[in-house]
Amino acid sequence: MNEMTFAVLGTGGIGRRALEVSQHKDALTPVAACDRHGVAVDFDGLDVDELLAATEGNIDNEVATDGGTGATAAESGVKQHGERKGVVASSQARPSEDPIQEIIDRGDGIDAVLLALPNYEHDFIPRTADRFAEGGYEGVMIDVLKRSRVIDMLDDRSDQFEEAGITFICGAGATPGLLTGAAALAAQSFVEVTAVDIWWGVGLKSGYEDNRGTVREDIAHLPEYDIETARDLSEAEIEAILDDHDGVIEFEDMEHADDVLLERAGICDAEDVEVGGVLDVRNDEKPTTTTVRVTGRTFDGETATNTFQLGDETSMEANVNGPALGYLKAGVRRNRAGEYGVFGPAELMPGF
Ligand code: IKT
C-alpha cells in the first residue's frame, strides 16, 4: 500500500535528476519516462542507471528550433543529425508518435506523473493535464512550474480534476516549492504576515552545458526580455548576454508563483511576496545563500522576521528534485485518501 509508482514526462535536466533522486527515496518506483520522440515503460521499475547513461550520452547542446519551444535538444529529446536522441537511445524505450498518450493509456499502473517539461508555452502544462483528465487518468500530477499566471489556469480546472479523480500539485520544485513551504511554516509565528522575501543563489554545479534550458528561462525574467523574446534568442545571443554579465546575473522582482501560492494558502497577499536571486553560470559555488525571510506581527504585538536558509553546499538539482518527489509522495497519500483538485506547496508537507 505504501509503494508508489511514477512516470516522468521529459528527460532533460529535471527529468533525469528526478529519476536519479528517486533511487534514494523509499518505496518510490519510476515505471515510465518519455520525451517528444519516445517512451519507456516497465511496471517492474525502469533501469534508471541504463536510462540515465543513455540520455546523458545524448546531450547535444544545440537548441531545438522545431515547435519554437526553446527547449534544449537534451531536454526535448529532439531528433538531430539524422539520429534519434533523448530517451529513445535507451534500450528500454521505443519511438512513439504520441508518447504522452501512451503514458495516459497505461495510467492505471501509475500513481503519479511528474511534468518535467521546460520552457513551453504557458498553457502547455494545463493542456497536458486536460489530456490526462479526458483520457481517464486518476492519480497525481505534479509540476515544477514557476510563473504565477499558470497557477490560475490550473485553478480554473479544479472542478475538472476533482471529477476526474486527479490530485494536481503545482509549483513543487525549489521556488516555488520548498521555499514556499518554508515560508508557510515560518509564517506560523505571526497573526499577520507583512512581507515574504525569497532570495536564491545558484551556481551551476552540473555546469552550464547541462542547464541551457534553465538559463534561457532565467533570461526571460530580465526586464529587457520575456518568454517569447527569450525563446527566440540564438545560443550565440545567450552566450553574449552571459558575457555581458561576466556569467553572473542578478534578478529582481521575478514573476514567480510563490506569490499566488502563498496567497491561495491564506498566508499573505501576493503583492507582499518578492522573489529574486543571483545565478552564476561559471562557478559551481552559490553566489549568495538562498534565504527566505518572513516578516510579520505576533499576537502579542511584536514585529519580527523569521529566516530560513539552505546550506550553500546544496545544489539546485537537490533543491528542486528532492522537494518535487517529496511533494509527489504527499500527493499520492492525498489521492489515495480521495482528495482531488489543485494543491500548492504551502498547503502540503512533503514526504521524505
Ligand atoms: C527560477 O527558476 O526562477 C530560478 C531558479 C532558482 C532555483 C533556486 C534554487 C535554490 C537553491 O538551490 O539554493 C533557477 C536558477 N532557474
Side-chain angles (χ1 to χ4, degrees), residues 146 174-175 179 200-202 214 218 221 254 256 279 286 290 310-311 314-317 319-320:
K146 293 172 214 135
T175 171
L179 303 185
W200 52 261
V202 169
T214 295
D218 288 337
H221 285 281
M254 304 174 82
H256 249 246
L279 171 71
K286 287 189 190 194
T290 297
L310 295 183
T314 61
S315 63
M316 177 175 71
E317 290 80 357
N319 293 322
V320 170

Side-chain angles (χ1 to χ4, degrees), residues 172-227:
T175 171
L178 172 63
L179 303 185
T180 332
L185 266 187
Q188 300 305 315
S189 306
F190 306 123
V191 291
E192 186 195 5
V193 172
T194 52
V196 174
D197 181 24
I198 294 175
W199 185 247
W200 52 261
V202 169
L204 289 181
K205 207 165 193 157
S206 56
Y208 168 48
E209 300 303 309
D210 207 11
N211 287 289
R212 287 184 186 237
T214 295
V215 172
R216 184 180 290 270
E217 279 190 66
D218 288 337
I219 286 173
H221 285 281
L222 289 172
E224 315 85 282
Y225 298 95
D226 58 28
I227 294 272

Side-chain angles (χ1 to χ4, degrees), residues 16 55 90 144 146 149 174-175 188 213 227 281 289 292 333:
R16 286 202 310 278
T55 50
S90 160
V144 294
K146 293 172 214 135
R149 66 191 95 160
T175 171
Q188 300 305 315
I227 294 272
V281 297
T289 298
V292 180
R333 291 192 189 110

